[in-house]
Amino acid sequence: MEVEEIVKEITTKLEGVKAPDNLPPFNLETQANSVQKSVYWVVHNHYDLGQPLEPLVTYAARAKQPLDKFLEVFHPDILAAYKHAQTHAK
């Protein structure tokens, strides 16, 4: 599966999901590594273990970005997580 297909699938699954109110913001410039790892593991665990994708909505809200824009930054990580999860998915 191509990254665009994976991102489309993720955004479709998360359509209508809202982030909680009053989230503390984070700065993608200074916290990129931490956020990158979090995005990777949310995507990986979704495709490997069936865990929810909702944390991605929260991360986007904390970065003060729409989900699609937020996910664009992490295309390589999303693809890597998906591919790795496929190596040991049920």
Coordinates of all heavy atoms in Angstrom, one line a residue:
M1 N 0.8 -1.2 0.0 CA 0.0 0.0 0.0 C 0.9 1.2 0.0 O 1.9 1.3 0.7 CB -0.9 0.0 1.2 CG -2.0 1.0 1.2 SD -3.2 1.0 2.6 CE -3.9 -0.6 2.6
E2 N 0.5 2.2 -0.8 CA 1.3 3.5 -0.8 C 0.9 4.4 0.3 O -0.2 4.3 0.9 CB 0.9 4.2 -2.2 CG 1.4 3.5 -3.4 CD 2.9 3.3 -3.5 OE1 3.6 4.3 -3.2 OE2 3.3 2.3 -4.0
V3 N 1.8 5.3 0.7 CA 1.5 6.2 1.8 C 0.3 7.0 1.7 O -0.5 7.2 2.6 CB 2.8 7.1 2.2 CG1 3.0 8.1 1.1 CG2 2.7 7.6 3.5
E4 N 0.0 7.5 0.5 CA -1.2 8.2 0.2 C -2.5 7.4 0.6 O -3.5 8.0 1.1 CB -1.3 8.8 -1.2 CG -0.3 9.8 -1.5 CD 1.1 9.3 -1.8 OE1 1.2 8.0 -2.0 OE2 2.1 10.1 -1.9
E5 N -2.5 6.1 0.2 CA -3.6 5.3 0.5 C -3.8 5.1 2.0 O -4.9 5.0 2.5 CB -3.4 3.9 -0.2 CG -3.5 3.9 -1.7 CD -3.1 2.6 -2.2 OE1 -1.9 2.2 -2.2 OE2 -4.0 1.9 -2.7
I6 N -2.6 4.9 2.7 CA -2.7 4.7 4.1 C -3.2 5.9 4.8 O -4.1 5.9 5.7 CB -1.2 4.3 4.7 CG1 -0.7 3.0 4.0 CG2 -1.2 4.2 6.2 CD1 0.7 2.8 4.2
V7 N -2.7 7.1 4.4 CA -3.2 8.4 5.0 C -4.6 8.6 4.8 O -5.4 9.0 5.6 CB -2.3 9.6 4.5 CG1 -2.9 10.9 5.0 CG2 -0.9 9.4 5.1
K8 N -5.1 8.3 3.6 CA -6.5 8.4 3.2 C -7.3 7.5 4.1 O -8.4 7.9 4.6 CB -6.8 8.1 1.8 CG -8.2 8.3 1.4 CD -8.4 8.1 -0.1 CE -9.9 8.3 -0.4 NZ -10.2 8.1 -1.8
E9 N -6.9 6.3 4.3 CA -7.6 5.3 5.2 C -7.6 5.8 6.6 O -8.7 5.8 7.3 CB -6.9 4.0 5.1 CG -7.5 2.9 6.0 CD -6.8 1.6 5.8 OE1 -6.9 1.0 4.7 OE2 -6.2 1.1 6.8
I10 N -6.5 6.4 7.1 CA -6.5 6.9 8.5 C -7.4 8.1 8.6 O -8.2 8.2 9.6 CB -5.0 7.3 8.8 CG1 -4.2 6.1 9.0 CG2 -5.0 8.2 10.1 CD1 -2.7 6.4 9.1
T11 N -7.4 9.0 7.7 CA -8.3 10.2 7.8 C -9.7 9.8 7.7 O -10.6 10.4 8.3 CB -7.9 11.3 6.7 OG1 -7.9 10.7 5.4 CG2 -6.6 11.9 7.0
T12 N -10.0 8.8 6.9 CA -11.4 8.4 6.7 C -11.9 7.7 8.1 O -13.0 8.0 8.5 CB -11.5 7.3 5.6 OG1 -11.2 7.9 4.4 CG2 -13.0 6.8 5.5
K13 N -11.0 6.9 8.7 CA -11.4 6.3 10.0 C -11.6 7.4 11.1 O -12.3 7.1 12.0 CB -10.3 5.3 10.4 CG -10.3 4.0 9.6 CD -9.3 3.1 10.0 CE -9.3 1.8 9.2 NZ -8.3 0.8 9.7
L14 N -10.9 8.5 10.9 CA -10.9 9.5 12.0 C -11.9 10.6 11.7 O -12.0 11.6 12.4 CB -9.5 10.0 12.2 CG -8.5 9.0 12.8 CD1 -7.1 9.6 12.9 CD2 -9.0 8.6 14.2
E15 N -12.6 10.5 10.6 CA -13.5 11.6 10.2 C -14.6 11.8 11.3 O -15.2 10.8 11.8 CB -14.2 11.2 8.9 CG -14.9 12.3 8.2 CD -15.4 11.9 6.8 OE1 -14.6 11.5 6.0 OE2 -16.6 12.0 6.6
G16 N -14.7 13.0 11.7 CA -15.7 13.4 12.7 C -15.2 13.2 14.2 O -15.8 13.6 15.1
V17 N -14.0 12.7 14.4 CA -13.4 12.5 15.7 C -12.9 13.9 16.1 O -12.2 14.6 15.4 CB -12.3 11.5 15.7 CG1 -11.6 11.4 17.1 CG2 -12.8 10.1 15.4
K18 N -13.2 14.3 17.3 CA -12.8 15.6 17.8 C -11.8 15.4 19.0 O -11.9 14.5 19.7 CB -14.0 16.4 18.4 CG -15.1 16.6 17.3 CD -14.6 17.7 16.4 CE -15.8 18.0 15.4 NZ -15.4 18.3 14.1
A19 N -10.8 16.3 19.0 CA -9.8 16.3 20.1 C -10.5 16.9 21.4 O -11.4 17.7 21.3 CB -8.6 17.1 19.7
P20 N -10.0 16.4 22.5 CA -10.5 17.0 23.8 C -10.1 18.5 23.8 O -9.2 19.0 23.1 CB -9.7 16.3 24.9 CG -9.1 15.1 24.2 CD -9.0 15.4 22.7
D21 N -10.9 19.3 24.6 CA -10.6 20.7 24.7 C -9.5 21.0 25.7 O -9.1 20.1 26.5 CB -11.9 21.4 25.3 CG -13.0 21.4 24.4 OD1 -12.8 21.4 23.1 OD2 -14.2 21.4 24.8
N22 N -8.9 22.2 25.6 CA -7.9 22.6 26.5 C -6.6 21.8 26.5 O -6.1 21.5 27.6 CB -8.4 22.8 27.9 CG -9.6 23.8 27.9 OD1 -9.6 24.8 27.3 ND2 -10.6 23.5 28.7
L23 N -6.2 21.3 25.3 CA -5.0 20.5 25.3 C -3.7 21.5 25.3 O -3.7 22.5 24.7 CB -4.9 19.8 23.9 CG -5.9 18.7 23.8 CD1 -5.9 18.2 22.3 CD2 -5.6 17.5 24.7
P24 N -2.7 21.0 26.0 CA -1.5 21.9 26.0 C -0.8 21.8 24.6 O -0.7 20.7 24.1 CB -0.6 21.2 27.1 CG -1.1 19.8 27.2 CD -2.6 19.9 26.8
P25 N -0.4 22.9 24.0 CA 0.2 22.8 22.7 C 1.6 22.3 22.8 O 2.2 22.2 23.8 CB 0.2 24.3 22.3 CG 0.2 25.0 23.5 CD -0.5 24.2 24.6
F26 N 2.1 21.8 21.6 CA 3.5 21.5 21.5 C 4.0 22.1 20.2 O 3.2 22.4 19.3 CB 3.8 20.0 21.7 CG 3.1 19.1 20.7 CD1 3.3 19.2 19.3 CD2 2.4 18.0 21.2 CE1 2.7 18.3 18.5 CE2 1.8 17.1 20.3 CZ 1.9 17.3 19.0
N27 N 5.3 22.2 20.2 CA 6.0 22.8 19.1 C 6.6 21.7 18.2 O 7.5 21.1 18.7 CB 7.0 23.8 19.6 CG 7.7 24.6 18.5 OD1 7.8 24.1 17.4 ND2 8.1 25.8 18.8
L28 N 6.2 21.6 17.0 CA 6.8 20.5 16.1 C 8.2 20.8 15.9 O 9.0 19.8 15.6 CB 6.0 20.4 14.8 CG 4.7 19.7 14.9 CD1 4.0 19.7 13.5 CD2 4.9 18.3 15.4
E29 N 8.7 22.0 15.9 CA 10.1 22.3 15.6 C 11.0 21.8 16.8 O 12.1 21.2 16.5 CB 10.3 23.8 15.4 CG 9.7 24.2 14.1 CD 9.9 25.7 13.9 OE1 10.8 26.3 14.6 OE2 9.1 26.3 13.1
T30 N 10.5 21.9 18.0 CA 11.4 21.5 19.1 C 11.0 20.1 19.7 O 11.9 19.5 20.4 CB 11.2 22.5 20.3 OG1 9.9 22.6 20.7 CG2 11.7 23.9 19.9
Q31 N 9.9 19.6 19.3 CA 9.5 18.3 19.9 C 9.3 17.3 18.7 O 8.6 16.3 18.9 CB 8.2 18.4 20.7 CG 8.4 19.3 21.9 CD 7.1 19.5 22.7 OE1 6.3 20.2 22.3 NE2 7.0 18.8 23.8
A32 N 9.8 17.5 17.6 CA 9.6 16.7 16.4 C 10.0 15.2 16.7 O 9.2 14.3 16.3 CB 10.4 17.2 15.2
N33 N 11.1 14.9 17.3 CA 11.5 13.6 17.5 C 10.5 12.8 18.4 O 10.1 11.7 18.0 CB 12.9 13.5 18.1 CG 13.5 12.1 18.1 OD1 13.4 11.4 17.1 ND2 14.1 11.8 19.2
S34 N 10.0 13.4 19.4 CA 9.1 12.8 20.3 C 7.7 12.5 19.6 O 7.1 11.5 19.7 CB 8.9 13.7 21.5 OG 7.8 13.2 22.3
V35 N 7.3 13.5 18.9 CA 6.0 13.4 18.1 C 6.1 12.4 17.0 O 5.2 11.5 16.8 CB 5.5 14.8 17.6 CG1 4.3 14.6 16.7 CG2 5.4 15.8 18.7
Q36 N 7.2 12.4 16.4 CA 7.5 11.4 15.3 C 7.4 10.0 15.8 O 6.8 9.1 15.2 CB 8.9 11.7 14.7 CG 9.3 10.8 13.6 CD 10.8 11.1 13.2 OE1 11.5 11.7 13.9 NE2 11.1 10.6 12.0
K37 N 8.0 9.7 17.0 CA 7.9 8.4 17.6 C 6.5 8.0 18.0 O 6.1 6.9 17.8 CB 8.9 8.3 18.8 CG 10.3 8.3 18.4 CD 11.2 8.3 19.6 CE 12.7 8.4 19.2 NZ 13.5 8.5 20.4
S38 N 5.8 9.0 18.5 CA 4.4 8.7 18.9 C 3.5 8.4 17.7 O 2.7 7.5 17.7 CB 3.8 10.0 19.6 OG 4.6 10.2 20.8
V39 N 3.7 9.2 16.6 CA 2.9 8.9 15.4 C 3.2 7.5 14.9 O 2.4 6.7 14.5 CB 3.2 10.0 14.3 CG1 2.6 9.6 13.0 CG2 2.6 11.3 14.8
Y40 N 4.5 7.2 14.8 CA 5.0 5.9 14.4 C 4.3 4.8 15.1 O 3.7 3.8 14.6 CB 6.5 5.7 14.5 CG 7.0 4.4 14.1 CD1 7.4 4.1 12.8 CD2 7.0 3.3 15.0 CE1 7.9 2.9 12.4 CE2 7.5 2.0 14.6 CZ 7.9 1.8 13.3 OH 8.4 0.6 13.0
W41 N 4.3 4.8 16.5 CA 3.7 3.7 17.3 C 2.2 3.7 17.3 O 1.6 2.6 17.3 CB 4.3 3.8 18.7 CG 5.7 3.3 18.7 CD1 6.8 4.1 18.9 CD2 6.2 2.0 18.4 NE1 8.0 3.3 18.8 CE2 7.6 2.0 18.4 CE3 5.6 0.8 18.1 CZ2 8.4 0.9 18.2 CZ3 6.3 -0.3 17.8 CH2 7.7 -0.3 17.9
V42 N 1.6 4.8 17.1 CA 0.1 4.8 17.0 C -0.3 4.1 15.7 O -1.2 3.2 15.7 CB -0.5 6.2 17.0 CG1 -2.0 6.2 16.6 CG2 -0.4 6.8 18.4
V43 N 0.4 4.4 14.6 CA 0.1 3.8 13.3 C 0.5 2.3 13.4 O -0.3 1.4 13.0 CB 0.8 4.5 12.2 CG1 0.6 3.8 10.9 CG2 0.2 5.9 12.0
H44 N 1.6 2.0 13.9 CA 2.1 0.6 13.9 C 1.1 -0.2 14.8 O 0.7 -1.3 14.3 CB 3.5 0.6 14.6 CG 4.0 -0.8 14.8 ND1 3.7 -1.6 15.9 CD2 4.8 -1.6 14.0 CE1 4.2 -2.7 15.8 NE2 5.0 -2.8 14.7
N45 N 0.8 0.2 15.9 CA -0.1 -0.5 16.8 C -1.5 -0.7 16.3 O -2.2 -1.7 16.6 CB 0.0 0.0 18.2 CG 1.3 -0.2 18.9 OD1 2.1 -1.0 18.5 ND2 1.6 0.6 19.9
H46 N -1.9 0.3 15.5 CA -3.2 0.1 14.9 C -3.2 -1.0 13.9 O -4.1 -1.9 13.9 CB -3.6 1.4 14.2 CG -4.9 1.3 13.4 ND1 -6.1 1.2 14.0 CD2 -5.1 1.2 12.1 CE1 -7.1 1.0 13.1 NE2 -6.5 1.0 11.9
Y47 N -2.2 -1.0 13.0 CA -2.2 -2.0 11.9 C -1.7 -3.4 12.5 O -2.0 -4.4 11.9 CB -1.3 -1.6 10.8 CG -2.1 -0.5 10.0 CD1 -1.7 0.8 10.1 CD2 -3.1 -0.9 9.1 CE1 -2.4 1.8 9.3 CE2 -3.8 0.0 8.4 CZ -3.5 1.4 8.5 OH -4.2 2.3 7.8
D48 N -1.0 -3.4 13.6 CA -0.5 -4.7 14.1 C -1.5 -5.2 15.1 O -1.8 -6.4 15.1 CB 0.8 -4.5 14.8 CG 1.4 -5.8 15.3 OD1 1.1 -6.9 14.8 OD2 2.2 -5.7 16.3
L49 N -2.0 -4.4 16.0 CA -2.8 -4.9 17.2 C -4.3 -4.4 17.2 O -5.0 -4.7 18.1 CB -2.1 -4.4 18.5 CG -0.7 -4.8 18.6 CD1 -0.1 -4.1 19.8 CD2 -0.6 -6.3 18.8
G50 N -4.6 -3.5 16.2 CA -6.0 -3.0 16.1 C -6.3 -1.9 17.1 O -7.4 -1.6 17.4
Q51 N -5.2 -1.3 17.7 CA -5.5 -0.2 18.6 C -6.0 1.0 17.9 O -5.8 1.2 16.7 CB -4.2 0.1 19.4 CG -3.8 -1.1 20.3 CD -2.6 -0.8 21.1 OE1 -1.9 0.3 21.0 NE2 -2.2 -1.7 22.0
P52 N -6.6 1.9 18.6 CA -7.3 3.1 18.0 C -6.3 4.1 17.4 O -5.1 4.2 17.9 CB -8.1 3.7 19.1 CG -7.5 3.3 20.4 CD -6.9 1.9 20.1
L53 N -6.7 4.8 16.4 CA -5.9 5.9 15.8 C -6.2 7.3 16.4 O -5.6 8.3 16.0 CB -6.3 6.0 14.3 CG -5.8 4.8 13.5 CD1 -6.4 4.8 12.1 CD2 -4.3 4.8 13.3
E54 N -7.2 7.4 17.3 CA -7.6 8.7 17.8 C -6.5 9.5 18.4 O -6.6 10.8 18.3 CB -8.7 8.5 18.9 CG -10.1 8.2 18.3 CD -10.3 6.8 17.8 OE1 -9.4 5.9 18.0 OE2 -11.4 6.5 17.2
P55 N -5.4 9.0 19.0 CA -4.4 9.9 19.4 C -3.8 10.8 18.3 O -3.4 11.9 18.7 CB -3.3 8.9 20.0 CG -4.1 7.7 20.4 CD -5.2 7.6 19.4
L56 N -3.9 10.4 17.1 CA -3.4 11.3 16.0 C -4.2 12.6 15.9 O -3.6 13.6 15.6 CB -3.5 10.5 14.7 CG -2.6 9.3 14.5 CD1 -2.9 8.6 13.2 CD2 -1.1 9.6 14.7
V57 N -5.5 12.5 16.3 CA -6.3 13.7 16.3 C -5.8 14.6 17.4 O -5.7 15.8 17.2 CB -7.8 13.3 16.4 CG1 -8.7 14.6 16.6 CG2 -8.3 12.5 15.3
T58 N -5.5 14.1 18.5 CA -5.0 14.8 19.7 C -3.7 15.5 19.3 O -3.5 16.6 19.6 CB -4.9 14.0 20.9 OG1 -6.2 13.4 21.2 CG2 -4.4 14.7 22.1
Y59 N -2.8 14.7 18.7 CA -1.5 15.2 18.3 C -1.6 16.4 17.4 O -1.0 17.4 17.5 CB -0.6 14.2 17.7 CG -0.3 13.0 18.6 CD1 0.0 11.8 18.0 CD2 -0.4 13.0 20.0 CE1 0.3 10.6 18.7 CE2 -0.2 11.9 20.7 CZ 0.2 10.7 20.1 OH 0.5 9.6 20.9
A60 N -2.5 16.3 16.4 CA -2.7 17.3 15.4 C -3.3 18.6 16.1 O -2.8 19.7 15.8 CB -3.7 16.9 14.3
A61 N -4.2 18.4 17.0 CA -4.8 19.5 17.7 C -3.7 20.2 18.6 O -3.7 21.5 18.7 CB -5.9 19.1 18.6
R62 N -2.8 19.4 19.2 CA -1.8 20.0 20.0 C -0.8 20.8 19.2 O -0.2 21.7 19.6 CB -1.1 19.0 20.8 CG -2.0 18.4 22.0 CD -1.2 17.5 22.9 NE -0.2 18.2 23.6 CZ 0.8 17.5 24.2 NH1 0.9 16.2 24.2 NH2 1.7 18.2 24.8
A63 N -0.6 20.4 17.9 CA 0.3 21.1 17.0 C -0.4 22.2 16.3 O 0.2 22.9 15.5 CB 0.8 20.1 15.9
K64 N -1.7 22.4 16.6 CA -2.6 23.4 16.0 C -2.6 23.3 14.5 O -2.4 24.3 13.8 CB -2.1 24.8 16.5 CG -2.1 24.9 18.0 CD -2.5 26.3 18.5 CE -2.5 26.4 20.0 NZ -3.6 25.8 20.6
Q65 N -2.8 22.1 14.0 CA -2.8 21.8 12.6 C -4.0 20.9 12.3 O -4.4 20.1 13.1 CB -1.6 21.2 12.1 CG -0.3 22.0 12.2 CD 0.9 21.3 11.6 OE1 0.8 20.1 11.2 NE2 2.0 22.0 11.5
P66 N -4.6 21.1 11.1 CA -5.6 20.1 10.7 C -5.0 18.8 10.5 O -3.8 18.7 10.2 CB -6.1 20.6 9.3 CG -5.4 21.9 9.0 CD -4.4 22.1 10.1
L67 N -5.7 17.7 10.7 CA -5.2 16.4 10.7 C -4.4 16.1 9.4 O -3.3 15.5 9.4 CB -6.3 15.3 10.9 CG -5.9 13.9 10.9 CD1 -4.9 13.6 12.1 CD2 -7.1 13.0 11.0
D68 N -5.0 16.4 8.2 CA -4.3 16.1 7.0 C -3.0 16.8 6.9 O -2.0 16.2 6.4 CB -5.2 16.4 5.8 CG -5.7 17.8 5.7 OD1 -5.7 18.5 6.7 OD2 -6.1 18.2 4.6
K69 N -2.9 18.0 7.3 CA -1.6 18.8 7.2 C -0.6 18.2 8.2 O 0.6 18.0 7.9 CB -1.8 20.2 7.6 CG -2.3 21.1 6.5 CD -1.1 21.4 5.7 CE -1.3 22.7 4.9 NZ -0.7 22.6 3.6
F70 N -1.1 17.8 9.4 CA -0.2 17.2 10.4 C 0.3 15.9 9.9 O 1.5 15.6 10.0 CB -1.1 17.0 11.7 CG -0.3 16.2 12.7 CD1 0.6 16.9 13.5 CD2 -0.5 14.9 13.0 CE1 1.3 16.3 14.5 CE2 0.2 14.2 14.0 CZ 1.1 14.9 14.7
L71 N -0.5 15.0 9.3 CA 0.0 13.7 8.8 C 0.9 13.9 7.6 O 1.8 13.0 7.5 CB -1.2 12.9 8.4 CG -2.2 12.5 9.5 CD1 -3.3 11.7 9.0 CD2 -1.4 11.7 10.6
E72 N 0.8 14.9 6.8 CA 1.8 15.1 5.7 C 3.2 15.2 6.2 O 4.1 14.6 5.5 CB 1.5 16.5 5.0 CG 0.4 16.4 3.9 CD 0.2 17.8 3.3 OE1 1.2 18.6 3.3 OE2 -0.9 18.0 2.8
V73 N 3.4 15.8 7.3 CA 4.8 15.9 7.9 C 5.4 14.5 8.2 O 6.6 14.3 8.1 CB 4.7 16.8 9.2 CG1 6.1 16.8 9.9 CG2 4.2 18.2 8.9
F74 N 4.5 13.6 8.5 CA 5.0 12.3 9.0 C 4.8 11.1 8.0 O 4.8 10.0 8.4 CB 4.3 11.9 10.3 CG 4.6 13.0 11.4 CD1 3.7 13.9 11.7 CD2 5.9 13.0 12.0 CE1 4.0 14.9 12.7 CE2 6.2 13.9 12.9 CZ 5.3 14.9 13.3
H75 N 4.6 11.5 6.7 CA 4.4 10.4 5.7 C 5.5 9.3 5.8 O 5.1 8.1 5.7 CB 4.4 11.0 4.3 CG 3.0 11.5 3.9 ND1 2.7 11.8 2.6 CD2 1.9 11.7 4.6 CE1 1.5 12.2 2.5 NE2 0.9 12.1 3.7
P76 N 6.8 9.6 5.9 CA 7.8 8.5 5.9 C 7.6 7.6 7.1 O 7.8 6.4 7.1 CB 9.1 9.3 6.0 CG 8.8 10.6 5.4 CD 7.4 10.9 5.8
D77 N 7.2 8.2 8.3 CA 7.0 7.5 9.5 C 5.8 6.6 9.4 O 5.8 5.5 9.9 CB 7.0 8.4 10.7 CG 8.1 9.4 10.7 OD1 9.3 8.9 10.9 OD2 7.9 10.6 10.5
I78 N 4.7 7.1 8.8 CA 3.5 6.4 8.7 C 3.7 5.2 7.8 O 3.3 4.1 8.1 CB 2.4 7.3 8.1 CG1 2.0 8.3 9.2 CG2 1.2 6.5 7.6 CD1 1.1 9.5 8.6
L79 N 4.4 5.4 6.7 CA 4.7 4.3 5.8 C 5.6 3.2 6.5 O 5.4 2.0 6.4 CB 5.4 4.8 4.5 CG 5.6 3.7 3.4 CD1 4.3 3.0 3.0 CD2 6.3 4.4 2.2
A80 N 6.6 3.7 7.2 CA 7.5 2.7 7.9 C 6.8 1.9 8.9 O 7.0 0.7 9.1 CB 8.7 3.5 8.5
A81 N 5.9 2.6 9.6 CA 5.1 1.9 10.7 C 4.2 0.9 10.1 O 4.1 -0.2 10.6 CB 4.3 2.9 11.5
Y82 N 3.5 1.3 9.0 CA 2.6 0.3 8.3 C 3.4 -0.9 7.8 O 3.0 -2.0 8.0 CB 1.9 1.1 7.2 CG 1.1 0.1 6.3 CD1 -0.2 -0.2 6.7 CD2 1.6 -0.4 5.2 CE1 -1.0 -1.1 6.0 CE2 0.8 -1.3 4.4 CZ -0.5 -1.6 4.8 OH -1.2 -2.5 4.1
K83 N 4.5 -0.6 7.1 CA 5.3 -1.8 6.6 C 5.8 -2.7 7.7 O 5.8 -3.9 7.6 CB 6.4 -1.2 5.7 CG 6.0 -0.7 4.4 CD 7.2 -0.2 3.6 CE 6.7 0.2 2.2 NZ 7.9 0.6 1.4
H84 N 6.3 -2.1 8.8 CA 6.8 -2.9 9.9 C 5.7 -3.7 10.5 O 5.9 -4.9 10.8 CB 7.5 -2.0 10.9 CG 8.1 -2.9 12.0 ND1 7.6 -3.0 13.2 CD2 9.2 -3.6 12.0 CE1 8.3 -3.8 14.0 NE2 9.3 -4.2 13.2
A85 N 4.5 -3.1 10.7 CA 3.4 -3.8 11.3 C 3.0 -5.0 10.4 O 2.6 -6.1 10.9 CB 2.2 -2.9 11.5
Q86 N 3.1 -4.8 9.1 CA 2.7 -5.9 8.2 C 3.7 -7.1 8.3 O 3.3 -8.2 8.0 CB 2.7 -5.4 6.7 CG 1.6 -4.4 6.5 CD 0.3 -4.8 6.9 OE1 -0.2 -5.9 6.4 NE2 -0.4 -4.1 7.8
T87 N 4.9 -6.9 8.8 CA 5.8 -8.0 8.9 C 5.4 -9.0 10.0 O 5.9 -10.1 10.0 CB 7.3 -7.5 9.2 OG1 7.3 -6.9 10.4 CG2 7.7 -6.6 8.1
H88 N 4.6 -8.5 11.0 CA 4.2 -9.4 12.1 C 2.7 -9.2 12.5 O 2.4 -9.5 13.6 CB 5.1 -9.3 13.3 CG 5.3 -7.9 13.8 ND1 4.5 -7.3 14.7 CD2 6.2 -7.0 13.5 CE1 4.9 -6.1 14.9 NE2 6.0 -5.8 14.2
A89 N 1.9 -8.8 11.5 CA 0.5 -8.6 11.8 C -0.1 -10.0 11.9 O 0.3 -11.0 11.3 CB -0.2 -7.8 10.7
K90 N -1.2 -10.1 12.6 CA -1.9 -11.3 12.8 C -2.4 -11.9 11.5 O -2.8 -11.3 10.6 CB -3.2 -11.1 13.7 CG -2.8 -10.6 15.1 CD -4.0 -10.4 15.9 CE -3.7 -9.5 17.1 NZ -4.8 -9.0 17.7

